[in-house]
Amino acid sequence: MSTRNDLLDQGIERLRAATHLAEVQYLVVHTARGVVNADGATFVVREDDQCFYVDEDAASPLWQGQRFPLTECISGWAMLHREAAIVTDVKRDPRIPYEAYRPKFVRSLLMTPVAPADGEAIAAIGTYWSVVREATDDEVRGIALLADATMAAVERVGLDHAPFLPADWPT
């Protein structure tokens, strides 16, 4: 049985070998979900003033294929501030557009920016839980390491916005 650290190490190694953006997005959502034992994970790309939810691995549908204004979305907040957003309860955090969350299973989340060392964030990794909880320091660190590996992979393969492939894309 693999530990969460093993899953993270394997995901990072596979990201280093990825040759296409579709591989990167697939690896990101599946690795993120497993590493923090989340009920869902998303890969969100910044497109000008929009957040584009390009991929997900979740217990039930989230926002794949949808776009939201950067300033009205927790993934946008994480990208604009270049810091992880830890949300213990989506009903109580003012950064959360709760109406978008009401029909979803999400009660808590961790949204981590994907950014170069200097410059604007280009994406975010979202991890979601169906219970009210706070992401642990180890979970925050793990997803930050995954975000760094994701940034390196995207720099290598490019961030071509078309076409993004679905979450069930095989590796």
Side-chain angles (χ1 to χ4, degrees):
M1 180 174 195
S2 293
T3 67
R4 290 181 188 182
N5 286 338
D6 291 339
L7 291 173
L8 178 60
D9 291 345
Q10 291 167 9
I12 289 171
E13 282 303 311
R14 291 179 75 190
L15 280 168
R16 287 183 181 138
T19 58
H20 297 88
L21 182 58
E23 285 179 275
V24 172
Q25 68 190 54
Y26 178 90
L27 290 168
V28 167
V29 297
H30 292 283
T31 301
R33 185 172 180 193
V35 165
V36 298
N37 196 29
D39 298 305
T42 58
F43 184 51
V44 187
V45 173
R46 183 177 185 165
E47 289 186 330
D48 300 317
D49 62 348
Q50 299 279 305
C51 296
F52 178 30
Y53 283 71
V54 297
D55 210 340
E56 66 186 35
D57 174 19
S60 63
L62 291 167
W63 301 278
Q64 186 172 346
Q66 296 182 45
R67 288 174 173 80
F68 301 95
L70 200 61
T71 57
E72 297 175 22
C73 183
I74 194 67
S75 56
W77 186 96
M79 287 186 253
L80 290 170
H81 289 87
R82 290 181 44 98
E83 68 181 78
I86 301 167
V87 178
T88 303
D89 186 345
V90 297
K91 291 180 181 178
R92 300 184 191 280
D93 194 300
R95 300 171 294 180
I96 297 292
Y98 185 65
E99 286 308 310
Y101 283 74
R102 184 184 305 275
K104 307 298 181 184
F105 69 81
V106 178
R107 296 299 167 256
S108 302
L109 65 89
L110 168 63
M111 187 64 68
T112 306
V114 175
D118 55 352
E120 293 184 340
I122 62 158
I125 300 168
T127 48
Y128 308 90
W129 295 274
S130 61
V131 297
V132 173
R133 69 184 295 278
E134 185 169 340
T136 67
D137 290 345
D138 284 344
E139 290 168 338
V140 173
R141 278 191 295 275
I143 298 299
L145 289 171
L146 182 62
D148 290 345
T150 301
M151 185 68 230
V154 167
E155 286 176 330
R156 191 178 63 261
V157 303
L159 189 62
D160 183 337
H161 294 303
F164 286 103
L165 298 176
D168 61 354
W169 186 81
T171 58

